[in-house]
Amino acid sequence: MCDPCGVARQWHEDPALDVPPPPPWHHVGAVWGALAYGALALAGGLVLLVPGWLDALGIAAPWVVLEIVLSASAFGSALVEAVWQRRFNRAVLQVPATVRTGQAFEAVLTLVPYTTLERVSVRIELVDRFYEHVTRRGRRQTRTRSRTLEHYDLQRGERVRGRREHAFHVAFVAPAPSLAQHDVASEISASILGALGPIVPGLGHYARNLREHGGFFVRAVVRFGLWRRVYEQRVTAVVVPVAAPTPATSAAQARS
């Protein structure tokens, strides 16, 4: 704090960005989606609990339970989406699309909150996700396996200031791919879920992460309070072959 003028030095050294105020709750589309799916889940619960309603509708109880589970999942997804739109003006994970194996690359997570947030934790990981094809009872199945190669906790329960850009940088070394890292079924699922994104708020974010499955990808986990969100970006590791020496090169090396 400057004694003569009473202005904090931090205001001059780290000025606020020209960020608009956070949108009102009723202007966030995901809020209305959360209310709609919450009402559907509540209606399904009432159908199961109130005597006579299930028989009057003529629906089997397992179908009502399935409707409750799906509606509750959509409600949770829409609620997280609404909170994130209300709290962050920008939240982006950036990684290079292609890197050479054995070389270092940088992952950057950028957060711009509307207002100051308390108890924010940031963790960035390098994950190897691959697919195993196994045969059980004469049927071929695909199983997803993953392992965390590196991880860094960049902050734990600390404050991030509002209307400022907070960039978290992490350097990883690109590993060499060794196992099957592509699955057609996962790509199809991502396309289907992406098409349902406008209907179920938050499902589009999950579909974008699903497209990054398979291979090496960087995962950023952001938490504040009870809320948590994951960002994933795939990194394509390119193996650069070593050229075999030509006869002329071999002869030159022999003479030297």
Side-chain angles (χ1 to χ4, degrees):
M1 183 72 71
C2 177
D3 292 333
C5 63
V7 178
R9 287 181 53 199
Q10 192 172 23
W11 180 266
H12 294 284
E13 297 175 356
D14 186 18
L17 300 177
D18 186 13
V19 174
W25 286 107
H26 61 278
H27 286 177
V28 179
V31 172
W32 301 105
L35 292 176
Y37 287 108
L40 288 175
L42 181 60
L46 291 176
V47 169
L48 288 179
L49 295 177
V50 176
W53 283 21
L54 197 61
D55 296 334
L57 292 175
I59 303 176
W63 292 106
V64 178
V65 173
L66 178 61
E67 185 270 338
I68 294 174
V69 172
L70 294 178
S71 298
S73 301
F75 167 77
S77 176
L79 186 60
V80 173
E81 178 72 17
V83 170
W84 235 255
Q85 291 183 18
R86 186 71 168 72
R87 291 290 182 264
F88 290 96
N89 174 264
R90 187 157 60 99
V92 180
L93 174 63
Q94 295 175 317
V95 298
T98 305
V99 294
R100 296 177 59 179
T101 57
Q103 291 191 350
F105 69 94
E106 188 177 56
V108 182
L109 174 67
T110 304
L111 301 177
V112 181
Y114 284 109
T115 58
T116 300
L117 300 177
E118 305 289 344
R119 297 182 300 162
V120 178
S121 299
V122 176
R123 180 185 179 96
I124 300 182
E125 307 170 340
L126 179 62
V127 181
D128 177 17
R129 177 166 290 160
F130 52 93
Y131 301 96
E132 289 183 345
H133 301 286
V134 297
T135 302
R136 290 184 176 179
R137 299 178 182 179
R139 297 179 58 184
R140 187 179 181 183
Q141 300 178 353
T142 301
R143 298 186 302 180
T144 305
R145 293 289 183 267
S146 63
R147 56 182 177 179
T148 302
L149 304 179
E150 297 181 69
H151 68 273
Y152 297 94
D153 292 312
L154 301 182
Q155 73 173 39
R156 295 181 179 178
E158 300 175 18
R159 172 188 296 181
V160 292
R161 302 180 65 208
R163 301 176 61 197
R164 268 77 173 178
E165 182 178 282
H166 302 269
F168 302 90
H169 299 257
V170 172
F172 295 109
V173 177
S178 57
L179 299 170
Q181 297 180 336
H182 180 74
D183 182 62
V184 177
S186 298
E187 297 291 340
I188 295 175
S189 300
S191 299
I192 295 174
L193 294 177
L196 296 176
I199 302 176
V200 182
L203 202 58
H205 177 81
Y206 178 79
R208 287 190 295 272
N209 282 345
L210 186 60
R211 291 187 185 278
E212 307 302 330
H213 289 187
F216 302 105
F217 63 92
V218 176
R219 174 192 293 155
V221 182
V222 181
R223 300 174 183 265
F224 71 95
L226 300 176
W227 306 102
R228 173 182 180 271
R229 195 160 208 189
V230 178
Y231 298 87
E232 296 177 352
Q233 287 289 338
R234 183 184 299 175
V235 178
T236 302
V238 179
V239 180
V240 180
V242 179
T246 61
T249 305
S250 301
Q253 292 177 349
R255 287 195 299 271
S256 60

